[in-house]
Amino acid sequence: RKEVEQDPGPFNVPEGATVAFNCTYSNSASQSFFWYRQDCRKEPKLLMSVYSSGNEDGRFTAQLNRASQYISLLIRDSKLSDSATYLCVVNRNQAGTALIFGKGTTLSVSS
Amino acid sequence: DTEVTQTPKHLVMGMTNKKSLKCEQHMGHRAMYWYKQKAKKPPELMFVYSYEKLSINESVPSRFSPECPNSSLLNLHLHALQPEDSALYLCASSQDQGGYYGYTFGSGTRLTVV
């Protein structure tokens, strides 16, 4: 099983739609979880951090289910500008390690 | 200052050239990273420096040589690269190596090897 797995998509949705991405992780000791957004040919930018059960920021909601070891990202009222790749990132909570990146989920919002 | 600054933004180099990529942060972060990213792939870890010491080298070829002159600066020295090394090179920093609070990325250097 890969350490972090995401559905690569692409997800093609119309403006105004609600879309959800899921991500599973294998290390039960992981303590912090992130969704990064990456636009084409740009750097990843932190969208949301999740340390407990969830986090909400405007149209974006991240949920964490530790028992099932998955994290989700919900985007409500999708905008054209939400079109990007969304990376699920997890820490290993081990000394001497780095964050683990999922392969990313591509979202395309159309008018 | 909540930024990671990378220079240059674009670089074209021949296979016999020597060049360096630079990265700077003034957030007091103690861990700094080099990542390589190819199109439509996630970032791939190359090196990690923690408290100015190299702590992770992901079996990167010796034609890539990292250097951490001080806690704010990170360099990546390039020599005798191959065309397949063309990619976006990202620098990142974090408060701690484990990345509990996540990473801040620089805008990257887009490298083309000809």
Side-chain angles (χ1 to χ4, degrees):
Chain A
R1 182 181 175 183
K2 289 183 180 158
E3 288 194 86
V4 178
E5 291 200 69
Q6 294 181 249
D7 181 344
F11 284 64
N12 297 305
V13 302
E15 274 187 293
T18 296
V19 62
F21 307 139
N22 289 326
C23 169
T24 58
Y25 63 95
S26 61
N27 185 348
S28 59
S30 295
Q31 292 294 321
S32 54
F33 309 87
F34 310 93
W35 286 100
Y36 279 78
R37 172 203 169 116
Q38 186 169 26
D39 292 291
C40 188
R41 299 175 68 83
K42 300 281 192 180
E43 77 275 21
K45 292 190 175 175
L46 182 62
L47 179 65
M48 300 192 78
S49 305
V50 184
Y51 298 100
S52 57
S53 59
N55 196 2
E56 185 172 330
D57 183 4
R59 298 184 293 111
F60 299 85
T61 301
Q63 295 274 339
L64 169 64
N65 184 319
R66 287 190 186 275
S68 302
Q69 293 183 206
Y70 80 79
I71 318 113
S72 63
L73 177 68
L74 183 76
I75 305 176
R76 290 179 294 277
D77 188 23
S78 299
K79 312 287 185 196
L80 294 174
S81 56
D82 294 332
S83 298
T85 296
Y86 292 83
L87 295 161
C88 175
V89 183
V90 177
N91 92 322
R92 285 197 182 98
N93 197 33
Q94 275 178 263
T97 64
L99 293 179
I100 319 156
F101 284 75
K103 291 188 183 300
T105 298
T106 300
L107 172 66
S108 178
V109 182
S110 56
S111 57
Chain B
D1 188 348
T2 56
E3 283 188 345
V4 175
T5 304
Q6 286 188 247
T7 56
K9 293 199 182 306
H10 301 274
L11 178 62
V12 179
M13 61 185 290
M15 290 189 283
T16 58
N17 290 161
K18 284 185 181 180
K19 296 285 185 184
S20 296
L21 308 185
K22 296 187 184 301
C23 175
E24 188 169 6
Q25 58 90 11
H26 294 289
M27 294 178 281
H29 287 177
R30 305 313 306 229
M32 296 184 76
Y33 311 80
W34 281 115
Y35 280 85
K36 173 183 176 180
Q37 188 174 25
K38 301 281 258 184
K40 300 189 188 300
K41 300 283 188 185
E44 179 186 335
L45 183 65
M46 300 176 73
F47 302 104
V48 180
Y49 274 83
S50 180
Y51 289 87
E52 301 163 50
K53 289 186 172 18
L54 182 65
S55 67
I56 297 179
N57 176 341
E58 291 287 322
S59 303
V60 178
S62 60
R63 57 186 184 269
F64 295 92
S65 174
E67 179 197 17
C68 188
N70 60 53
S71 60
S72 300
L73 291 173
L74 186 65
N75 298 322
L76 185 64
H77 303 297
L78 315 173
H79 173 54
L81 294 194
Q82 304 296 310
E84 59 265 27
D85 296 321
S86 299
L88 179 67
Y89 287 84
L90 293 161
C91 175
S93 70
S94 64
Q95 290 188 37
D96 64 293
Q97 184 182 320
Y100 183 81
Y101 298 104
Y103 295 169
T104 301
F105 283 90
S107 57
T109 294
R110 188 157 297 280
L111 174 67
T112 303
V113 182
V114 297

